[in-house]
């Protein structure tokens, strides 16, 4: 609590109404499924009794008339923090292309999940950033999973020494996919009665209503066939192009590393996503009505929206480069130390007879 990482749980409070809506919908569907399943089982039992009196052809025709009900699936909004790779892919596929959110107050949770034999989905995280289609065949039941448009946001907090393990050096590709913000601030432990006041609750209630309405409108109308269109004029496009061209050259000249430049390139992809959100919220601020905002498929930003997003993007790039400077090199140095001396070299260098304390001392001297 003293580091402020637990503030991430406030996101769950905002999403509570959507989560409850989806759970209620699932409960109703499961009740209907249970009723149809019971009716199906009664019909099958009756056919089993009378089946001996029917020919095989007649029995096949009767069975063809009876359709076994399928268990319903309701889209979810929150992806579990700890999951296997197979389950991760199944839930992505089952969510029918709707976006998921994974919330973690500790980077270590993601590291631990991906350190397990059947839990490593780091490669899927790399693909999801660009919404690259994912396909996989599972060994156990020969199930083929295909996710055409994967959509997942990962929101996590942690302490600095966890970052080298997450990014694993300049060449992992992971650091360019996260918008990294480093907070340098003094924090203090807050008493429980300070955490939630009536004013805070009022803000959460308002955000819940806005979020639910936005979620409902976007998932209902922003389909693949009729997506919302962000309309940028030539001046906006030119300002965006000039910024990223200049920033990309600056980073390339400084780092001489394509992975550092990829941070700038990926923020270019983020630019339009952020601009769409900023414009939507500005329009909502004007009309106070999501229905009115989203009745048009063309979302038109202003130059002020573009300026604000460019400020945010520059902020995100600079912080990501700070992380790269501070922690990626540290991760590479750590990996190099581990591979400098092989296990056989260490064992062969030890004396034939030694106590464990002597062995430890010798290993320390070898680094």
């Amino acid at each position: 609590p003293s580091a402020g990482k637990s503030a991430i749980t406030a996101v769950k409070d905002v999403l509570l109404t959507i989560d409850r809506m989806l759970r209620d919908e699932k409960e109703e569907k499961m009740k209907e499924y249970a009723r149809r399943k019971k009716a199906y089982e009664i019909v099958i039992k009756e056919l089993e009794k009378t089946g001996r009196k029917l020919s095989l052809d007649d029995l096949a025709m009767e069975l063809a008339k009876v359709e076994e009900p399928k268990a319903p699936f309701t889209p979810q909004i929150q992806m579990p923090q700890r999951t296997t790779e197979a389950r991760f892919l199944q839930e992505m596929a089952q969510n029918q292309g709707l976006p998921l959110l994974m919330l973690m107050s500790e980077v270590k949770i993601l590291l631990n999940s991906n350190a397990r034999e059947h839990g490593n989905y780091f490669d899927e995280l790399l693909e999801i950033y660009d919404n690259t289609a994912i396909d996989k065949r599972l060994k156990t039941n020969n199930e083929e999973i295909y996710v055409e448009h994967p959509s997942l946001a990962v929101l996590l907090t942690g302490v600095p020494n966890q970052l080298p393990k997450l990014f694993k050096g300049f060449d992992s590709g992971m650091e360019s996919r996260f918008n990294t913000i480093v907070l340098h601030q003094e924090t203090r432990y807050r008493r429980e009665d300070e955490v939630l006041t009536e004013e805070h609750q009022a803000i959460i209630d308002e955000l819940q209503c806005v979020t639910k309405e936005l979620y409902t409108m976007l998932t209902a109308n922003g389909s693949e066939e009729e997506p919302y269109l962000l309309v940028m004029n030539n001046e906006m496009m030119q300002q965006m192009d000039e910024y990223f061209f200049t920033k990309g050259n600056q980073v390339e000249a400084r780092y001489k590393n394509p992975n550092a430049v990829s941070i700038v390139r990926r923020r270019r992809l983020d630019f339009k996503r952020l601009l769409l959100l900023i414009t939507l919220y500005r329009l909502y601020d004007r009309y106070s009505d999501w229905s009115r905002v989203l009745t048009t498929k063309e979302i038109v930003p202003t130059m002020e929206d573009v300026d604000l997003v460019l400020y945010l993007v520059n902020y995100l790039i600079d912080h990501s480069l700070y992380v790269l400077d501070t922690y990626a090199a540290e991760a590479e140095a750590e990996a190099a130390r581990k591979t400098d001396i092989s296990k056989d070299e260490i064992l062969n260098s030890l004396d034939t007879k030694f106590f464990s304390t002597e062995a430890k001392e010798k290993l320390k001297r070898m680094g």
Side-chain angles (χ1 to χ4, degrees):
S2 61
K5 298 195 303 296
S6 57
I8 198 173
T9 56
V11 178
K12 289 188 176 181
D13 294 333
V14 175
L15 296 175
L16 191 62
T17 53
I18 303 175
D19 191 57
R20 188 180 295 122
M21 177 181 72
L22 294 175
R23 288 177 184 274
D24 290 345
E25 183 182 338
K26 183 177 182 179
E27 187 177 348
E28 289 301 314
K29 286 183 177 179
M30 288 304 295
K31 286 180 181 177
E32 174 64 16
Y33 168 71
R35 185 188 66 77
R36 293 181 60 195
K37 181 75 171 174
K38 189 173 183 180
Y40 168 79
E41 289 172 351
I42 291 173
V43 171
I44 291 296
K45 282 183 179 178
E46 288 298 316
L47 279 175
E48 287 175 352
K49 290 178 182 177
T50 59
R52 298 173 197 152
K53 303 175 184 177
L54 300 173
S55 68
L56 288 176
D57 290 340
D58 290 339
L59 181 60
M61 288 179 61
E62 291 297 322
L63 287 171
K65 295 176 185 178
V66 184
E67 185 178 353
E68 184 177 3
K70 295 181 180 179
F73 179 81
T74 305
Q76 57 183 320
I77 191 168
Q78 291 191 54
M79 171 78 80
Q81 301 172 356
R82 298 170 178 85
T83 180
T84 64
E85 182 192 20
R87 188 63 183 167
F88 177 89
L89 288 168
Q90 285 170 345
E91 293 190 359
M92 290 291 298
Q94 288 174 340
N95 218 48
Q96 303 170 23
L98 296 176
L100 283 158
L101 180 66
M102 185 181 285
L103 297 167
M104 282 169 277
S105 59
E106 295 290 350
V107 174
K108 191 159 182 145
I109 295 174
L110 185 63
L111 294 172
N112 286 345
S113 292
N114 282 272
R116 293 172 186 153
E117 182 183 355
H118 301 294
N120 192 333
Y121 49 87
F122 267 132
D123 54 339
E124 280 85 11
L125 291 180
L126 296 175
E127 292 178 297
I128 286 170
Y129 181 90
D130 298 302
N131 303 118
T132 305
I134 300 172
D135 60 321
K136 188 126 185 173
R137 177 165 289 171
L138 303 184
K139 181 180 178 181
T140 50
N141 54 5
N142 203 30
E143 179 186 1
E144 189 170 287
I145 299 176
Y146 187 74
V147 188
E148 189 172 358
H149 298 288
S151 181
L152 171 72
V154 181
L155 182 61
L156 51 88
T157 59
V159 294
N161 69 354
Q162 295 172 333
L163 289 173
K165 296 175 183 176
L166 176 64
F167 293 151
K168 298 180 181 177
F170 284 95
D171 298 323
S172 72
M174 191 65 75
E175 71 276 359
S176 66
R177 285 163 169 80
F178 278 92
N179 286 321
T180 309
I181 299 175
V182 182
L183 299 178
H184 299 287
Q185 62 179 8
E186 290 186 11
T187 54
R188 64 181 181 85
Y189 180 75
R190 294 178 299 175
R191 299 195 310 272
E192 190 175 349
D193 57 354
E194 290 183 280
V195 174
L196 190 64
T197 64
E198 290 185 6
E199 184 182 1
H200 293 155
Q201 187 60 51
I203 293 171
I204 290 174
D205 291 343
E206 182 180 0
L207 283 172
Q208 283 182 341
C209 294
V210 171
T211 306
K212 181 179 177 181
E213 191 163 357
L214 179 61
Y215 173 86
T216 305
M217 291 296 295
L218 286 175
T219 52
N221 299 325
S223 64
E224 188 68 24
E225 293 76 22
E226 295 184 87
Y228 289 101
L229 181 65
L230 181 70
V231 181
M232 296 174 63
N233 60 33
N234 290 335
E235 186 181 1
M236 294 173 184
M237 296 292 290
Q238 184 179 352
Q239 189 167 344
M240 179 186 73
D241 290 339
E242 287 178 355
Y243 168 79
F244 284 104
F245 177 78
T246 304
K247 193 73 173 181
N249 285 341
Q250 289 173 348
V251 171
E252 188 172 13
R254 177 181 170 187
Y255 288 90
K256 311 290 186 188
N257 188 309
N259 293 289
V261 182
S262 69
I263 290 176
V264 181
R265 291 174 184 153
R266 292 189 185 282
R267 295 303 81 82
R268 186 185 179 99
L269 292 176
D270 288 335
F271 177 87
K272 290 187 178 180
R273 298 171 179 174
L274 288 168
L275 184 58
L276 178 66
L277 291 172
I278 292 291
T279 305
L280 286 175
Y281 273 93
R282 176 180 55 78
L283 293 172
Y284 173 75
D285 193 45
R286 178 190 297 177
Y287 301 123
S288 298
D289 181 6
W290 279 116
S291 301
R292 183 173 179 181
V293 172
L294 297 175
T295 48
T296 174
K297 292 294 181 181
E298 294 188 350
I299 308 299
V300 183
T302 64
M303 287 304 296
E304 288 75 17
D305 296 334
V306 173
D307 289 338
L308 176 57
V309 175
L310 284 175
Y311 174 83
L312 288 172
V313 165
N314 192 65
Y315 181 81
L316 293 170
I317 290 173
D318 287 346
H319 273 249
S320 294
L321 292 174
Y322 169 81
V323 169
L324 197 69
D325 282 335
T326 311
Y327 303 113
E330 180 185 331
E332 290 200 334
E334 181 182 339
R337 284 198 302 273
K338 286 181 179 177
T339 55
D340 278 346
I341 304 173
S342 70
K343 187 190 296 183
D344 289 337
E345 286 177 315
I346 293 174
L347 292 174
N348 292 335
S349 68
L350 295 174
D351 296 332
T352 306
K353 295 180 180 180
F354 59 86
F355 295 108
S356 59
T357 51
E358 293 174 346
K360 288 177 182 176
E361 288 300 316
K362 185 147 191 176
L363 288 171
K364 281 182 184 177
R365 289 196 298 274
M366 294 175 65

